[in-house]
Amino acid sequence: MFTSLRSKSYYPWLVVALLWVVALLNYMDRQMLSTMKDAMMLDITELQSAENFGILMAIFLWIYGCVSPFAGAISDRVNRKWLIVGSIFIWSLVTFLMGVANDFTTLKVLRALMGVSEALYIPAGLSLIADYHEGKSRSLAVGIHMTGLYMGQAIGGFGATLASAYSWHTTFFTFGIIGMVYAGVLLLFLHEMPKKAPAAAAPAKPAEGFTLRSLGQSFAWLFQNIAFWAILIYFAVPSLPGWATKNWLPTLFSENLGIEMSAAGPLSTITIAAASFVGVLVGGTLSDRWVKRNLRGRIYTGAIGLALTVPSLMLLGYGHSTIAVVGAGILFGVGYGMFDANNMPILCQFVPSRLRATAYGFMNMIGVFAGAAVTQVLGRWKDEGNLGFGFVLLGGIVLVALAIQLSLLRPTTDNME
């Protein structure tokens, strides 16, 4: 009964809906810890140290980044349904166990395990959506899925609210159970994309196992491709302001508008999340239509999105009125959403389906490492009173990514096989 769903015309969109919830839980579970620090440090005294808390957050980022390329390589070689189901079950189990943890060492181990298990999802999920949505709906489908990440980030910000109403233990327990139950839903309704029959002139290659030789061949193919290098730079550079807004925008809103963090946090988070939602819908729809007339349509759409972030970063850096700062946040969210909706679709124009998850794993790694670096640098600049200037400088760096994207990315197909 459930298997027959795969033959329905609406099933590709059901896949997007199923994975949208996974994306939400993926970001929400990782974000909750950052908002519940004050509640947790009453029971785990080591968290009273900002350095220790920074270590806890950094463990996740560095392990997540290092595992991402290998997670992508695994996704290209196994049934992605089972990888996604296993990934969400394990990170939800880890979330549940966070509620049991009563010492700093246990928290560090659990954050490391969360980094590994969550890294397995994004390359598998995005490549599966890209395979189910070719041509006319690919960017929109990817964009809608990305809104799940935005929503998860926003909901994760309310972890402190739930912890104060109940307890931080109960909050972790609740969302851990929700994720494990949802893994069962995926088990029933999510299916791998059937492999296409190869053309007569191009006999199928035997399935590759997960060996060092096959990994080396995959990595070599990617890094001998100039377009892939351009895509890595194009993805990494906008990740700098992307992570900067995630980690420092509430502080910037608070300082520039002269309001308390209790008001600046929700204002900045909701502004970016809502605007990004609009951006992925506009960017996805525009890209899917434009590429029918021009193969560079997806690239041009992503470029428009990046271009919108440049003036917005300058306004965020030096704006001091509510209209200027919130308007800049809206402009940044729309532009970044347009960019986000087209990353995987652009990758599909230059990388064959058998290597897409591997390629996106490297992109994910570069993006996370860029985020870790910019978070630390902006922290230093904030201490020096230069946080606004840092945002303006990021706008200039984005212009470099735009130049590389427009000069080097010239696709010959919308779906490299």
Side-chain angles (χ1 to χ4, degrees), residues 203-214:
K205 293 177 63 177
E208 291 182 306
F210 192 78
T211 65
L212 288 178
R213 180 179 179 183
S214 71

Side-chain angles (χ1 to χ4, degrees), residues 162-360:
L162 294 174
S164 62
Y166 303 98
S167 72
W168 64 268
H169 304 278
T170 301
T171 304
F172 280 128
F173 290 155
T174 301
F175 288 106
I177 292 172
I178 289 173
M180 288 187 282
V181 170
Y182 193 71
V185 174
L186 294 176
L187 198 63
L188 295 175
F189 294 102
L190 186 65
H191 301 289
E192 175 62 90
M193 175 74 176
K195 299 296 181 183
K196 291 184 177 179
K205 293 177 63 177
E208 291 182 306
F210 192 78
T211 65
L212 288 178
R213 180 179 179 183
S214 71
L215 273 181
Q217 290 172 341
S218 297
F219 293 173
W221 190 97
L222 290 173
F223 288 104
Q224 288 171 5
N225 185 342
I226 294 177
F228 181 63
W229 281 100
I231 290 172
L232 277 181
I233 297 172
Y234 157 73
F235 184 80
V237 172
S239 293
L240 296 172
W243 280 93
T245 55
K246 289 176 185 176
N247 295 328
W248 287 108
L249 197 58
T251 301
L252 199 67
F253 267 51
S254 176
E255 291 183 352
N256 286 9
L257 297 179
I259 59 178
E260 296 294 329
M261 278 294 290
S262 58
L267 179 62
S268 61
T269 301
I270 293 172
T271 297
I272 291 292
S276 297
F277 186 87
V278 173
V280 296
L281 295 181
V282 172
T285 303
L286 176 61
S287 174
D288 287 332
R289 293 182 178 179
W290 201 343
V291 78
K292 295 176 184 177
R293 300 191 301 271
N294 188 325
L295 280 176
R296 299 191 79 193
R298 300 196 189 282
I299 293 165
Y300 292 146
T301 305
I304 291 171
L306 283 186
L308 291 176
T309 68
V310 176
S312 69
L313 287 166
M314 294 180 179
L315 275 173
L316 284 172
Y318 289 131
H320 290 281
S321 70
T322 302
I323 292 177
V325 174
V326 174
I330 292 172
L331 192 62
F332 181 87
V334 170
Y336 203 83
M338 294 177 69
F339 160 78
D340 236 1
N342 284 285
N343 289 328
M344 176 57 86
I346 289 174
L347 184 69
C348 293
Q349 294 182 312
F350 297 96
V351 176
S353 58
R354 63 187 174 84
L355 293 176
R356 283 175 193 160
T358 303
Y360 200 88

Side-chain angles (χ1 to χ4, degrees), residues 19 26 35 40 62 113 137 141 179 210 214-215 241 263 335 361 376 381:
L19 296 185
N26 184 277
T35 66
M40 295 177 67
W62 288 110
L113 289 174
S137 62
F210 192 78
S214 71
L215 273 181
Q376 181 176 354
W381 286 357

Side-chain angles (χ1 to χ4, degrees), residues 5-261:
L5 276 175
R6 192 167 56 187
S7 62
K8 303 295 184 182
S9 60
Y10 59 78
Y11 187 71
W13 288 109
L14 180 59
V15 170
V16 174
L18 289 168
L19 296 185
W20 187 91
V21 178
V22 182
L24 182 150
L25 292 171
N26 184 277
Y27 252 65
M28 183 181 67
D29 287 353
R30 76 174 71 168
Q31 287 291 109
M32 283 193 302
L33 175 65
S34 64
T35 66
M36 294 196 293
K37 173 180 178 290
D38 291 347
M40 295 177 67
M41 69 185 188
L42 297 176
D43 297 312
I44 303 176
T45 56
E46 290 92 339
L47 295 181
Q48 295 175 9
S49 162
E51 181 180 0
N52 282 341
F53 190 74
I55 289 172
L56 201 59
M57 302 301 287
I59 285 173
F60 173 87
L61 282 177
W62 288 110
I63 290 183
Y64 182 91
C66 290
V67 170
S68 286
F70 301 99
I74 293 171
S75 301
D76 282 327
R77 289 163 172 79
V78 303
N79 186 302
R80 288 168 293 188
K81 166 188 173 172
W82 293 106
L83 191 62
I84 291 169
V85 170
S87 175
I88 185 175
F89 183 84
I90 292 172
W91 92 57
S92 297
L93 177 60
V94 168
T95 300
F96 181 88
L97 293 176
M98 292 278 284
V100 181
N102 55 15
D103 63 84
F104 187 61
T105 300
T106 302
L107 284 179
K108 287 192 291 185
V109 172
L110 290 174
R111 285 295 283 183
L113 289 174
M114 180 168 281
V116 173
S117 56
E118 288 209 356
L120 290 169
Y121 170 64
I122 288 292
L126 285 179
S127 64
L128 186 61
I129 289 172
D131 283 353
Y132 268 110
H133 290 266
E134 293 185 4
K136 63 181 181 180
S137 62
R138 178 171 281 166
S139 285
L140 182 59
V142 169
I144 290 173
H145 171 267
M146 298 305 286
T147 65
L149 300 179
Y150 306 149
M151 186 63 71
Q153 181 182 349
I155 294 176
F158 288 94
T161 305
L162 294 174
S164 62
Y166 303 98
S167 72
W168 64 268
H169 304 278
T170 301
T171 304
F172 280 128
F173 290 155
T174 301
F175 288 106
I177 292 172
I178 289 173
M180 288 187 282
V181 170
Y182 193 71
V185 174
L186 294 176
L187 198 63
L188 295 175
F189 294 102
L190 186 65
H191 301 289
E192 175 62 90
M193 175 74 176
K195 299 296 181 183
K196 291 184 177 179
K205 293 177 63 177
E208 291 182 306
F210 192 78
T211 65
L212 288 178
R213 180 179 179 183
S214 71
L215 273 181
Q217 290 172 341
S218 297
F219 293 173
W221 190 97
L222 290 173
F223 288 104
Q224 288 171 5
N225 185 342
I226 294 177
F228 181 63
W229 281 100
I231 290 172
L232 277 181
I233 297 172
Y234 157 73
F235 184 80
V237 172
S239 293
L240 296 172
W243 280 93
T245 55
K246 289 176 185 176
N247 295 328
W248 287 108
L249 197 58
T251 301
L252 199 67
F253 267 51
S254 176
E255 291 183 352
N256 286 9
L257 297 179
I259 59 178
E260 296 294 329
M261 278 294 290

